[in-house]
Amino acid sequence: MLAEKRFMEEALTEAELAYKNGETPVGAVVVKDGEIVSRAHNRTEELKDPSAHAELLALAAASEILGDRSLSGCVLYVTMEPCPMCAGACLNFRIGAVVYGAYDKRAGAFGSVSDLGSGAFGQRVTAVGGVMREECAKLLNDFFRERRQNGAE
């Protein structure tokens, strides 16, 4: 549990960078053998790319760094439950496990709305949710509250 918290704190640092840049505050790190291989945060606004989610950026970077498209020996730590697009990427990258903080009751694809890691697509992904849930959810809630107060969305 201590390792989970340490790595989720690193993902939260990435989420805070996203927040400062006006992005939805989601951060991710990919870990292999107890070491962070890659880290990323949402960059959809900056890159004008709706697929530039923290998970996709971190997974792609880890694959490049490790020189392997299979990340079966890795764990993805992300501050918010992955959406269907990111859950699908986890399957395609063959990630070993996913650990996330805040649940996503609108689009969560590792248990909240659907469970793409259940094996229905030929692969299983172990997912653990709720790690540092309060801290992760607070950052997201603060971001969206601020946007509403400023007249956005």
Side-chain angles (χ1 to χ4, degrees):
M1 186 65 174
L2 288 177
E4 286 180 351
K5 184 176 180 197
R6 177 170 67 100
F7 295 129
M8 190 60 75
E9 286 171 344
E10 293 292 331
L12 266 167
T13 297
E14 287 295 317
E16 289 165 357
L17 288 172
Y19 193 127
K20 289 176 186 171
N21 292 329
E23 302 275 359
T24 301
V26 177
V29 297
V30 175
V31 175
K32 182 173 183 171
D33 299 327
E35 299 293 326
I36 294 175
V37 175
S38 65
R39 59 180 64 236
H41 55 272
N42 276 3
R43 296 177 63 200
T44 60
E45 300 299 327
E46 173 191 349
L47 298 176
K48 307 292 186 258
D49 178 355
S51 71
H53 288 199
E55 301 96 319
L56 291 178
L57 298 171
L59 290 166
S63 180
E64 185 173 333
I65 289 165
L66 296 172
D68 195 341
R69 70 177 202 86
S70 174
L71 301 177
S72 61
C74 299
V75 178
L76 172 68
Y77 290 83
V78 61
T79 57
M80 184 176 176
E81 182 179 1
C83 69
M85 176 179 67
C86 294
C90 289
L91 294 175
N92 285 317
F93 278 102
R94 301 189 184 287
I95 194 75
V98 175
V99 177
Y100 61 89
Y103 294 92
D104 184 351
K105 299 296 182 188
R106 289 183 25 207
F110 277 118
S112 289
V113 176
S114 63
D115 188 357
L116 297 185
S118 68
F121 295 96
Q123 297 175 57
R124 291 195 179 277
V125 174
T126 300
V128 176
V131 175
M132 296 184 66
R133 179 181 66 217
E134 292 81 15
E135 296 90 336
C136 295
K138 182 181 182 324
L139 192 61
L140 287 157
N141 290 336
D142 290 350
F143 175 79
F144 287 112
R145 183 180 314 107
E146 184 178 302
R147 285 182 57 103
R148 284 190 300 275
Q149 288 171 350
N150 292 333
E153 294 180 34

